[in-house]
Protein backbone atom coordinates (compact mmCIF):
# COMPACT_ATOMS: atom_id res chain seq x y z
CA UNK A 1 0.00 0.00 0.00
CA UNK A 2 1.25 3.48 -0.89
CA UNK A 3 -0.43 6.16 1.18
CA UNK A 4 -4.13 5.36 1.38
CA UNK A 5 -4.20 3.43 -1.87
CA UNK A 6 -3.65 -0.23 -2.58
CA UNK A 7 -1.08 -1.00 -5.28
CA UNK A 8 -1.96 -2.46 -8.68
CA UNK A 9 0.59 -3.81 -11.16
CA UNK A 10 0.16 -4.83 -14.77
CA UNK A 11 2.12 -4.83 -17.99
CA UNK A 12 2.14 -5.77 -21.66
CA UNK A 13 4.83 -7.14 -23.92
CA UNK A 14 6.14 -5.01 -26.75
CA UNK A 15 6.00 -7.88 -29.21
CA UNK A 16 3.57 -7.59 -32.10
CA UNK A 17 1.08 -4.76 -32.41
CA UNK A 18 -1.70 -4.17 -29.88
CA UNK A 19 -5.11 -5.30 -31.05
CA UNK A 20 -8.63 -4.09 -30.54
CA UNK A 21 -8.94 -6.98 -28.07
CA UNK A 22 -6.01 -5.67 -25.99
CA UNK A 23 -7.58 -2.22 -25.96
CA UNK A 24 -11.21 -3.08 -25.19
CA UNK A 25 -10.40 -6.02 -22.93
CA UNK A 26 -7.60 -4.49 -20.87
CA UNK A 27 -6.06 -1.11 -21.69
CA UNK A 28 -9.32 0.85 -21.76
CA UNK A 29 -10.26 -0.60 -18.36
CA UNK A 30 -6.88 0.32 -16.84
CA UNK A 31 -7.74 4.01 -17.22
CA UNK A 32 -10.60 3.65 -14.72
CA UNK A 33 -8.36 2.18 -12.02
CA UNK A 34 -5.97 5.07 -11.32
CA UNK A 35 -8.36 6.87 -8.97
CA UNK A 36 -8.79 3.78 -6.81
CA UNK A 37 -5.25 2.32 -6.93
CA UNK A 38 -1.61 3.37 -7.07
CA UNK A 39 -0.91 1.89 -10.48
CA UNK A 40 2.33 0.63 -12.01
CA UNK A 41 2.04 -0.15 -15.73
CA UNK A 42 5.14 -1.62 -17.29
CA UNK A 43 6.25 -2.22 -20.85
CA UNK A 44 7.68 -5.66 -20.05
CA UNK A 45 10.45 -5.70 -22.62
CA UNK A 46 12.63 -8.15 -20.65
CA UNK A 47 9.93 -10.78 -21.06
CA UNK A 48 9.93 -10.15 -24.81
CA UNK A 49 13.40 -11.57 -25.44
CA UNK A 50 12.50 -15.16 -24.47
CA UNK A 51 11.71 -15.25 -28.20
CA UNK A 52 14.30 -13.82 -30.61
CA UNK A 53 13.60 -10.18 -31.47
CA UNK A 54 14.98 -7.75 -34.02
CA UNK A 55 16.62 -5.17 -31.67
CA UNK A 56 15.58 -2.11 -33.69
CA UNK A 57 12.00 -3.38 -33.99
CA UNK A 58 11.78 -4.16 -30.25
CA UNK A 59 12.97 -0.65 -29.35
CA UNK A 60 10.47 0.90 -31.75
CA UNK A 61 7.58 -1.22 -30.52
CA UNK A 62 8.44 -0.60 -26.86
CA UNK A 63 8.24 3.15 -27.40
CA UNK A 64 5.05 2.78 -29.43
CA UNK A 65 3.46 0.72 -26.66
CA UNK A 66 4.38 3.23 -23.97
CA UNK A 67 2.94 5.96 -26.21
CA UNK A 68 -0.30 4.00 -26.57
CA UNK A 69 -0.58 3.65 -22.79
CA UNK A 70 -0.65 7.42 -22.53
CA UNK A 71 -2.79 7.96 -25.65
CA UNK A 72 -5.40 5.56 -24.24
CA UNK A 73 -5.82 7.88 -21.26
CA UNK A 74 -3.33 6.69 -18.65
CA UNK A 75 -2.10 9.88 -17.00
CA UNK A 76 1.69 9.54 -16.48
CA UNK A 77 1.42 11.86 -13.48
CA UNK A 78 -1.07 9.57 -11.72
CA UNK A 79 0.24 6.23 -13.03
CA UNK A 80 3.82 4.99 -13.12
CA UNK A 81 4.35 4.04 -16.77
CA UNK A 82 7.84 2.70 -17.43
CA UNK A 83 10.11 0.24 -19.23
CA UNK A 84 10.85 -2.92 -17.25
CA UNK A 85 14.44 -2.94 -18.57
CA UNK A 86 15.06 0.54 -17.09
CA UNK A 87 14.59 -0.81 -13.55
CA UNK A 88 17.39 -3.29 -12.87
CA UNK A 89 15.69 -4.48 -9.67
CA UNK A 90 13.38 -6.65 -11.79
CA UNK A 91 16.24 -8.85 -12.96
CA UNK A 92 18.04 -8.73 -9.60
CA UNK A 93 15.01 -9.92 -7.65
CA UNK A 94 14.27 -12.55 -10.29
CA UNK A 95 17.64 -14.21 -9.62
CA UNK A 96 16.98 -14.37 -5.88
CA UNK A 97 13.46 -15.73 -6.39
CA UNK A 98 14.80 -18.34 -8.84
CA UNK A 99 16.48 -19.83 -5.78
CA UNK A 100 13.10 -20.13 -4.03
CA UNK A 101 11.24 -21.67 -6.99
CA UNK A 102 11.14 -25.37 -7.77
CA UNK A 103 11.77 -26.96 -11.17
CA UNK A 104 8.56 -28.97 -10.85
CA UNK A 105 6.50 -25.80 -10.42
CA UNK A 106 7.97 -24.22 -13.53
CA UNK A 107 7.64 -27.37 -15.64
CA UNK A 108 3.87 -27.34 -15.05
CA UNK A 109 3.41 -23.89 -16.57
CA UNK A 110 1.19 -24.27 -19.63
CA UNK A 111 2.64 -21.18 -21.33
CA UNK A 112 6.12 -22.76 -21.24
CA UNK A 113 4.71 -25.83 -22.94
CA UNK A 114 2.87 -23.77 -25.55
CA UNK A 115 5.82 -21.51 -26.40
CA UNK A 116 8.23 -24.46 -26.46
CA UNK A 117 6.04 -26.11 -29.07
CA UNK A 118 5.97 -22.92 -31.18
CA UNK A 119 9.71 -22.19 -30.82
CA UNK A 120 11.23 -25.66 -30.68
CA UNK A 121 14.58 -24.33 -31.94
CA UNK A 122 14.89 -21.86 -29.02
CA UNK A 123 13.71 -23.49 -25.77
CA UNK A 124 15.88 -21.33 -23.53
CA UNK A 125 16.24 -21.04 -19.75
CA UNK A 126 14.56 -17.61 -19.82
CA UNK A 127 11.44 -19.15 -21.31
CA UNK A 128 11.44 -21.70 -18.48
CA UNK A 129 11.96 -19.16 -15.68
CA UNK A 130 9.67 -16.52 -17.24
CA UNK A 131 7.11 -16.88 -14.38
CA UNK A 132 9.80 -16.00 -11.81
CA UNK A 133 10.53 -12.72 -13.59
CA UNK A 134 6.79 -12.09 -13.65
CA UNK A 135 6.66 -12.77 -9.92
CA UNK A 136 9.47 -10.24 -9.44
CA UNK A 137 7.54 -7.64 -11.47
CA UNK A 138 4.59 -7.97 -9.12
CA UNK A 139 6.33 -8.44 -5.77
CA UNK A 140 8.82 -5.57 -6.22
CA UNK A 141 6.00 -3.04 -5.89
CA UNK A 142 4.23 -4.89 -3.08
CA UNK A 143 1.23 -5.14 -5.39
CA UNK A 144 -2.06 -5.86 -3.66
CA UNK A 145 -3.87 -6.69 -6.90
CA UNK A 146 -3.01 -7.79 -10.44
CA UNK A 147 -5.52 -7.73 -13.33
CA UNK A 148 -5.41 -11.20 -14.85
CA UNK A 149 -7.01 -13.05 -17.71
CA UNK A 150 -7.55 -16.79 -17.77
CA UNK A 151 -4.16 -17.37 -19.43
CA UNK A 152 -2.31 -15.56 -16.61
CA UNK A 153 -3.98 -17.09 -13.55
CA UNK A 154 -1.36 -19.82 -13.31
CA UNK A 155 1.42 -17.21 -13.20
CA UNK A 156 -0.29 -15.31 -10.39
CA UNK A 157 -0.70 -18.56 -8.46
CA UNK A 158 3.03 -19.33 -8.65
CA UNK A 159 3.78 -15.70 -7.66
CA UNK A 160 1.68 -16.18 -4.53
CA UNK A 161 3.40 -19.51 -3.81
CA UNK A 162 6.89 -18.00 -4.14
CA UNK A 163 5.98 -15.02 -1.94
CA UNK A 164 4.44 -17.21 0.75
CA UNK A 165 7.47 -19.51 0.70
CA UNK A 166 9.86 -16.58 1.11
CA UNK A 167 7.72 -15.03 3.86
CA UNK A 168 7.56 -18.32 5.76
CA UNK A 169 11.37 -18.31 5.95
CA UNK A 170 12.15 -14.60 6.44
CA UNK A 171 8.98 -13.01 7.83
CA UNK A 172 6.47 -10.68 6.18
CA UNK A 173 8.60 -9.34 3.34
CA UNK A 174 6.19 -9.53 0.41
CA UNK A 175 2.55 -8.55 0.06
CA UNK A 176 0.61 -11.58 -1.21
CA UNK A 177 -1.14 -10.32 -4.37
CA UNK A 178 -4.74 -11.10 -5.26
CA UNK A 179 -6.23 -11.32 -8.73
CA UNK A 180 -8.17 -8.26 -9.83
CA UNK A 181 -11.28 -9.12 -11.80
CA UNK A 182 -13.38 -5.99 -11.45
CA UNK A 183 -15.95 -5.42 -14.16
CA UNK A 184 -15.41 -7.96 -16.89
CA UNK A 185 -13.70 -6.47 -19.91
CA UNK A 186 -14.86 -7.30 -23.39
CA UNK A 187 -13.52 -10.60 -24.66
CA UNK A 188 -12.84 -9.95 -28.31
CA UNK A 189 -12.39 -12.93 -30.60
CA UNK A 190 -10.58 -13.37 -33.92
CA UNK A 191 -12.48 -12.15 -36.98
CA UNK A 192 -11.31 -15.23 -38.89
CA UNK A 193 -11.72 -17.84 -36.13
CA UNK A 194 -14.27 -16.59 -33.59
CA UNK A 195 -13.58 -19.56 -31.30
CA UNK A 196 -10.14 -18.05 -30.49
CA UNK A 197 -9.19 -14.77 -28.83
CA UNK A 198 -8.05 -11.93 -31.06
CA UNK A 199 -4.27 -12.05 -30.76
CA UNK A 200 -1.35 -9.85 -31.77
CA UNK A 201 0.54 -13.05 -32.64
CA UNK A 202 -2.15 -14.34 -35.01
CA UNK A 203 -0.52 -15.57 -38.22
CA UNK A 204 -3.55 -14.36 -40.20
CA UNK A 205 -3.52 -10.54 -40.09
CA UNK A 206 -7.18 -10.46 -41.17
CA UNK A 207 -8.12 -12.03 -37.84
CA UNK A 208 -7.05 -9.02 -35.80
CA UNK A 209 -7.77 -5.29 -35.81
CA UNK A 210 -4.56 -3.50 -34.82
CA UNK A 211 -4.87 -0.22 -32.97
CA UNK A 212 -3.01 1.71 -35.63
CA UNK A 213 -4.85 0.18 -38.62
CA UNK A 214 -6.17 2.86 -40.98
CA UNK A 215 -9.94 3.14 -41.57
CA UNK A 216 -9.89 1.39 -44.97
CA UNK A 217 -8.00 -1.58 -43.51
CA UNK A 218 -10.42 -1.83 -40.59
CA UNK A 219 -13.48 -1.78 -42.84
CA UNK A 220 -11.92 -4.35 -45.18
CA UNK A 221 -11.15 -6.73 -42.31
CA UNK A 222 -14.70 -6.51 -40.99
CA UNK A 223 -16.14 -7.14 -44.44
CA UNK A 224 -14.08 -10.37 -44.51
CA UNK A 225 -15.10 -11.40 -40.98
CA UNK A 226 -16.29 -15.00 -40.69
CA UNK A 227 -20.01 -15.32 -39.93
CA UNK A 228 -22.33 -18.24 -40.86
CA UNK A 229 -25.11 -19.23 -43.23
CA UNK A 230 -28.02 -18.52 -40.88
CA UNK A 231 -28.47 -14.93 -42.10
CA UNK A 232 -29.86 -13.84 -38.72
CA UNK A 233 -28.29 -11.33 -36.37
CA UNK A 234 -28.86 -13.03 -33.03
CA UNK A 235 -26.78 -12.96 -29.84
CA UNK A 236 -26.22 -16.64 -29.15
CA UNK A 237 -23.30 -19.02 -28.70
CA UNK A 238 -24.33 -21.07 -31.74
CA UNK A 239 -23.33 -18.11 -33.92
CA UNK A 240 -19.82 -17.26 -32.60
CA UNK A 241 -18.93 -14.93 -35.47
CA UNK A 242 -22.07 -12.81 -35.11
CA UNK A 243 -21.81 -13.03 -31.30
CA UNK A 244 -18.31 -11.54 -31.52
CA UNK A 245 -19.38 -8.74 -33.87
CA UNK A 246 -22.26 -7.85 -31.54
CA UNK A 247 -19.85 -7.71 -28.59
CA UNK A 248 -17.53 -5.37 -30.50
CA UNK A 249 -20.38 -3.12 -31.65
CA UNK A 250 -21.84 -3.06 -28.12
CA UNK A 251 -18.59 -1.90 -26.53
CA UNK A 252 -17.96 0.73 -29.19
CA UNK A 253 -21.49 2.19 -29.10
CA UNK A 254 -22.47 1.60 -25.46
CA UNK A 255 -25.56 -0.34 -26.56
CA UNK A 256 -26.57 -3.64 -25.01
CA UNK A 257 -26.50 -6.82 -27.16
CA UNK A 258 -30.31 -6.87 -27.09
CA UNK A 259 -30.43 -3.31 -28.42
CA UNK A 260 -27.99 -4.24 -31.18
CA UNK A 261 -30.11 -7.24 -32.20
CA UNK A 262 -33.21 -4.99 -32.40
CA UNK A 263 -31.32 -2.32 -34.38
CA UNK A 264 -30.30 -4.80 -37.06
CA UNK A 265 -33.43 -6.93 -37.11
CA UNK A 266 -34.17 -7.95 -40.69
CA UNK A 267 -30.93 -6.49 -42.07
CA UNK A 268 -28.18 -8.50 -43.74
CA UNK A 269 -24.72 -9.43 -42.55
CA UNK A 270 -23.13 -7.03 -45.04
CA UNK A 271 -24.84 -4.00 -43.48
CA UNK A 272 -23.99 -5.19 -39.99
CA UNK A 273 -20.30 -5.80 -40.73
CA UNK A 274 -19.98 -2.34 -42.25
CA UNK A 275 -21.66 -0.74 -39.22
CA UNK A 276 -19.33 -2.58 -36.83
CA UNK A 277 -16.30 -1.50 -38.87
CA UNK A 278 -17.42 2.14 -38.82
CA UNK A 279 -18.03 1.99 -35.06
CA UNK A 280 -14.50 0.66 -34.51
CA UNK A 281 -13.02 3.36 -36.75
CA UNK A 282 -14.83 5.95 -34.61
CA UNK A 283 -13.58 4.33 -31.41
CA UNK A 284 -9.94 4.22 -32.51
CA UNK A 285 -9.68 7.61 -34.24
CA UNK A 286 -9.11 9.70 -31.05
CA UNK A 287 -6.57 7.15 -29.79
CA UNK A 288 -4.66 7.20 -33.07
CA UNK A 289 -4.64 11.00 -33.24
CA UNK A 290 -3.41 11.32 -29.65
CA UNK A 291 -0.69 8.69 -30.21
CA UNK A 292 0.52 10.59 -33.30
CA UNK A 293 0.60 13.85 -31.32
CA UNK A 294 2.58 12.33 -28.42
CA UNK A 295 4.97 10.58 -30.78
CA UNK A 296 5.99 13.91 -32.32
CA UNK A 297 6.78 15.44 -28.90
CA UNK A 298 10.05 13.61 -28.24
CA UNK A 299 11.06 15.75 -25.26
CA UNK A 300 7.72 15.15 -23.52
CA UNK A 301 7.90 11.38 -24.00
CA UNK A 302 11.57 11.19 -23.00
CA UNK A 303 10.76 13.13 -19.82
CA UNK A 304 8.02 10.66 -18.90
CA UNK A 305 10.34 7.71 -19.57
CA UNK A 306 13.09 9.20 -17.36
CA UNK A 307 10.87 10.38 -14.50
CA UNK A 308 8.78 7.25 -14.28
CA UNK A 309 11.83 4.97 -14.41
CA UNK A 310 13.16 6.88 -11.39
CA UNK A 311 9.81 6.57 -9.59
CA UNK A 312 9.53 2.84 -10.32
CA UNK A 313 13.16 2.37 -9.32
CA UNK A 314 12.60 4.08 -5.97
CA UNK A 315 9.80 1.72 -4.94
CA UNK A 316 11.40 -1.36 -6.50
CA UNK A 317 14.73 -0.81 -4.76
CA UNK A 318 13.05 -0.41 -1.36
CA UNK A 319 11.79 -3.98 -1.71
CA UNK A 320 15.01 -5.28 -3.28
CA UNK A 321 17.24 -3.92 -0.48
CA UNK A 322 14.98 -5.54 2.11
CA UNK A 323 15.15 -8.88 0.30
CA UNK A 324 18.93 -8.67 -0.13
CA UNK A 325 19.35 -8.05 3.57
CA UNK A 326 17.06 -10.95 4.48
CA UNK A 327 19.01 -13.48 2.37
CA UNK A 328 22.33 -12.31 3.78
CA UNK A 329 23.90 -10.14 1.10
CA UNK A 330 26.44 -7.60 2.45
CA UNK A 331 25.04 -4.13 2.98
CA UNK A 332 26.19 -1.46 0.52
CA UNK A 333 28.63 1.15 1.76
CA UNK A 334 27.17 4.56 1.06
Amino acid sequence: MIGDKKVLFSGMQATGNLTLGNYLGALKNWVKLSDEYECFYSVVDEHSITVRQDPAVLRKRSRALLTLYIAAGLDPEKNCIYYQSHVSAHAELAWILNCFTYMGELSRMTQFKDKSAKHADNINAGLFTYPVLMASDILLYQADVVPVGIDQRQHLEITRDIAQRFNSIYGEVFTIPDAYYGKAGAKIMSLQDPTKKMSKSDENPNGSIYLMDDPDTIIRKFKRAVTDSEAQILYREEQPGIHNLIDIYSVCTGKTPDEVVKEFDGRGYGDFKLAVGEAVVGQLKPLQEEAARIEKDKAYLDGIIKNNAEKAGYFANKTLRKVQKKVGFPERVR
Side-chain angles (χ1 to χ4, degrees), residues 66 70 76-77 81 294 299-309:
L66 192 137
I70 302 165
E77 298 295 324
I81 302 167
I294 294 168
Y300 168 73
L301 199 54
D302 286 349
I304 288 169
I305 290 167
K306 180 177 182 294
N307 294 337
N308 279 350

Side-chain angles (χ1 to χ4, degrees), residues 34-47:
S34 56
D35 289 330
E36 186 177 352
Y37 294 97
E38 185 73 34
C39 299
F40 291 84
Y41 292 121
S42 182
V43 174
V44 289
D45 47 353
E46 289 180 349
H47 286 292

Side-chain angles (χ1 to χ4, degrees), residues 94 96-106 131-132 135 158 162 165:
I96 296 172
L97 296 185
N98 269 322
C99 302
F100 292 84
T101 308
Y102 301 131
M103 298 282 283
E105 291 174 309
L106 294 173
V132 184
I158 197 173
I162 294 167
R165 185 174 299 136

Side-chain angles (χ1 to χ4, degrees), residues 101-117 126-132 134-135 151-162:
T101 308
Y102 301 131
M103 298 282 283
E105 291 174 309
L106 294 173
S107 65
R108 290 193 292 271
M109 294 290 108
T110 54
Q111 201 164 76
F112 171 69
K113 296 173 184 175
D114 293 344
K115 285 198 173 183
S116 295
L127 191 61
F128 188 65
T129 61
Y130 176 103
V132 184
M134 185 176 285
D151 55 343
Q152 295 295 343
R153 282 181 188 170
Q154 202 179 26
H155 287 151
L156 184 60
E157 286 167 10
I158 197 173
T159 297
R160 288 171 56 86
D161 289 343
I162 294 167

Side-chain angles (χ1 to χ4, degrees), residues 83-196:
Y83 293 134
Q84 180 189 31
S85 62
H86 284 194
V87 181
S88 61
H90 284 262
E92 291 185 70
L93 181 60
W95 170 251
I96 296 172
L97 296 185
N98 269 322
C99 302
F100 292 84
T101 308
Y102 301 131
M103 298 282 283
E105 291 174 309
L106 294 173
S107 65
R108 290 193 292 271
M109 294 290 108
T110 54
Q111 201 164 76
F112 171 69
K113 296 173 184 175
D114 293 344
K115 285 198 173 183
S116 295
K118 288 181 183 177
H119 305 279
D121 60 336
N122 182 28
I123 304 174
N124 57 72
L127 191 61
F128 188 65
T129 61
Y130 176 103
V132 184
L133 179 57
M134 185 176 285
S136 300
D137 299 338
I138 296 164
L139 298 176
L140 270 176
Y141 301 99
Q142 304 292 347
D144 296 283
V145 292
V146 182
V148 291
I150 293 171
D151 55 343
Q152 295 295 343
R153 282 181 188 170
Q154 202 179 26
H155 287 151
L156 184 60
E157 286 167 10
I158 197 173
T159 297
R160 288 171 56 86
D161 289 343
I162 294 167
Q164 286 165 345
R165 185 174 299 136
F166 194 94
N167 286 357
S168 71
I169 300 169
Y170 298 108
E172 297 302 306
V173 177
F174 294 122
T175 299
I176 308 300
D178 290 316
Y180 175 87
Y181 295 108
K183 187 179 177 182
K187 188 177 181 183
I188 307 302
M189 313 305 281
S190 165
L191 299 183
Q192 292 299 307
D193 183 357
T195 64
K196 295 179 180 177

